[in-house]
Amino acid sequence: MKDGFAETPGELCPDCTAGPARENVRVAGGTPYEIWHTSDCPEWTVMQISLEAGSRRIKEQDAWAKELFPTVHERLKQAAETLPPDSPAQPFVDALTELVQAQADTTGFVVLHRWVEILERHFPPRLPDLDNVTE
């Protein structure tokens, strides 16, 4: 590193051919990769527009899902109630219903240890049948 910049410029932008400089923008990602752009570079502008559009799409999807989630969650619970209690599908339905409730109770994702707790409760390990063990 020299003066805070990489000594090799990485790839040159085909539009602006910018290199390391305080007035340029550095984009880095993945394995050792960097490319520099001038602030008025068309490629840099397209990248910014794409990032903003993606961010907007994610916010719209999140708002849609938050609005609709209670309704579809209620439909799931109603459908689960229609199954006979002795149905072979009951453990699957109960686990799914509990996992969806766990998701409803959090603002993020249901963490892995919570998944395991729920699945372990509905699908406990089968213990060997000691009455039928032959030696």
Side-chain angles (χ1 to χ4, degrees):
M1 294 251 328
K2 182 179 177 188
D3 298 323
F5 297 109
E7 291 186 31
T8 57
E11 283 188 44
L12 291 178
C13 170
D15 289 325
C16 66
T17 64
R22 293 205 184 281
E23 66 274 6
N24 293 340
V25 178
R26 177 181 165 265
V27 178
T31 56
Y33 166 83
E34 67 179 19
I35 187 167
W36 292 79
H37 300 282
T38 58
S39 60
D40 61 347
C41 173
E43 186 172 326
W44 172 243
T45 302
V46 168
M47 285 176 65
Q48 286 180 301
I49 291 168
S50 294
L51 289 170
E52 289 170 8
S55 178
R56 185 176 54 255
R57 233 181 351 267
I58 289 169
K59 286 177 184 175
E60 289 168 355
Q61 288 173 337
D62 195 43
W64 169 81
K66 283 180 181 177
E67 181 180 332
L68 198 56
F69 185 83
T71 303
V72 295
H73 184 204
E74 186 58 36
R75 279 188 252 157
L76 170 69
K77 290 191 286 188
Q78 289 173 0
E81 291 171 0
T82 65
L83 285 176
D86 57 347
S87 168
Q90 195 63 50
F92 296 97
V93 172
D94 291 344
L96 176 62
T97 303
E98 191 173 344
L99 285 165
V100 172
Q101 182 61 55
Q103 181 62 54
D105 294 341
T106 184
T107 57
F109 293 99
V110 177
V111 293
L112 182 59
H113 75 268
R114 186 74 178 114
W115 273 82
V116 172
E117 289 169 3
I118 292 168
L119 293 175
E120 183 77 10
R121 186 171 33 264
H122 294 284
F123 301 100
R126 292 188 181 181
L127 299 175
D129 183 0
L130 299 178
D131 293 334
N132 293 326
V133 174
T134 58
E135 293 185 38

